[in-house]
Amino acid sequence: STIGLYCRFKILTIITFKDLNMQIILLGAPGAGKGTQAQFISKHLNIPQISTGDMLRAAVANKTELGLKAKDLMEKGDLVPDGLILDLVQNRISEADCSNGFLFDGFPRTLEQANALKDREVKIDCVIEIMVDDDEIIERMSGRRVHPASGRTYHIKHNPPKQNNIDNETGEALIQRPDDNEETVKKRLSIYHEQTYPLFEFYKGLSSKKLPTNYVEINGIGGIDDIQLQIINNIEKLR
């Protein structure tokens, strides 16, 4: 029953996330629901969610030595090299809030970065991949409509407004964000698969006794609680 599932979910949450130290990489295509699950894992494992974008912005804002180097490169329009990114990552995970572990969100992005993490002996306990078919993602993202002023989000199929393309509360027009255009979504998915497929193979095949890594595939289609329950059950197996 629904009540039984909810109770089981709450009990597992309490049991699973007590006194765990976990270093996790979360992978998932754009629109797979990775952001929602990243927040859930971070909160319930009590570990920081780390993205390279947030990390770069913080380093620049704090005017650290590495942050200033990154700022100089970005102002010139240059890409921040992997070596500098890895230095920033190692500095970040050495901070006190990472003593219980951390969650990498959107990092590593490339096989080169994954190999560099391994070479630097950054221990990763678990790689979690949220799996959603491309057709489902295209439908999810291309069907989204947004009220720009408030950020309210609708979906033409799953959560339509009362009037077509009109915000329920203000009567103002809804828009489709450029990133949600179907052709743009297809292009983003193509780039994601090209960059990330080697990561899947790398972590699935990683069997080093020195740096063992578990690879977990999560079905990303279904209710949020159902997906979270899958994550809980898989993390519980690693205890």
Side-chain angles (χ1 to χ4, degrees):
S1 69
T2 302
I3 294 174
L5 175 63
Y6 177 77
C7 290
R8 183 177 174 222
F9 171 74
K10 296 300 287 184
I11 292 168
L12 275 171
T13 300
I14 293 168
I15 294 172
T16 301
F17 295 117
K18 183 180 179 182
D19 299 326
L20 279 180
N21 186 301
M22 295 286 290
Q23 288 74 233
I24 296 173
I25 292 172
L26 184 63
L27 300 175
K34 184 164 62 70
T36 298
Q37 301 307 332
Q39 291 176 7
F40 166 75
I41 296 168
S42 175
K43 177 181 177 183
H44 287 278
L45 276 179
N46 192 29
I47 57 177
Q49 177 184 346
I50 299 173
S51 74
T52 52
D54 291 343
M55 188 177 57
L56 276 168
R57 284 187 288 272
V60 170
N62 294 330
K63 298 181 178 180
T64 67
E65 181 181 350
L66 292 173
L68 292 173
K69 287 181 182 178
K71 182 173 182 287
D72 183 56
L73 289 166
M74 290 187 289
E75 286 178 347
K76 292 177 181 176
D78 296 333
L79 292 175
V80 179
D82 283 349
L84 182 51
I85 293 290
L86 267 293
D87 289 343
L88 284 165
V89 165
Q90 285 203 298
N91 280 1
R92 178 67 186 88
I93 64 178
S94 69
E95 294 179 13
D97 65 336
C98 293
S99 61
N100 196 41
F102 51 80
L103 171 68
F104 283 144
D105 178 6
F107 177 84
R109 291 186 183 276
T110 65
L111 184 58
E112 289 75 19
Q113 290 178 346
N115 270 305
L117 273 182
K118 181 174 178 290
D119 290 343
R120 294 186 181 211
E121 299 188 359
V122 175
K123 182 175 178 287
I124 301 297
D125 296 300
C126 183
V127 176
I128 298 174
E129 179 192 354
I130 299 178
M131 302 175 63
V132 180
D133 290 341
D134 283 5
D135 288 345
E136 172 72 16
I137 288 175
I138 291 166
E139 180 185 284
R140 285 184 187 183
M141 297 182 73
S142 64
R144 287 195 300 211
R145 298 295 183 269
V146 178
H147 179 240
S150 67
R152 274 186 294 277
T153 302
Y154 301 83
H155 192 280
I156 58 175
K157 180 179 178 180
H158 304 297
N159 180 34
K162 294 174 183 176
Q163 291 182 271
N164 188 37
N165 280 330
I166 298 296
D167 179 54
N168 289 347
E169 296 191 23
T170 66
E172 296 171 342
L174 302 175
I175 66 166
Q176 183 183 49
R177 293 180 300 198
D179 278 358
D180 291 339
N181 175 275
E182 183 171 338
E183 290 307 311
T184 303
V185 173
K186 288 179 179 178
K187 183 176 180 181
R188 291 174 66 193
L189 285 170
S190 176
I191 293 170
Y192 173 79
H193 291 310
E194 181 180 341
Q195 289 185 340
T196 311
Y197 181 78
L199 288 180
F200 298 158
E201 297 304 304
F202 175 80
Y203 282 113
K204 285 178 182 179
L206 193 62
S207 58
S208 166
K209 293 181 181 179
K210 193 172 185 181
L211 291 172
T213 299
N214 297 279
Y215 197 96
V216 173
E217 295 178 345
I218 300 294
N219 180 3
I221 297 177
I224 291 175
D225 285 358
D226 294 333
I227 296 167
Q228 289 174 349
L229 184 59
Q230 289 183 65
I231 293 171
I232 288 169
N233 284 335
N234 279 281
I235 290 177
E236 173 69 13
K237 293 174 184 176
L238 305 180
R239 295 186 63 179

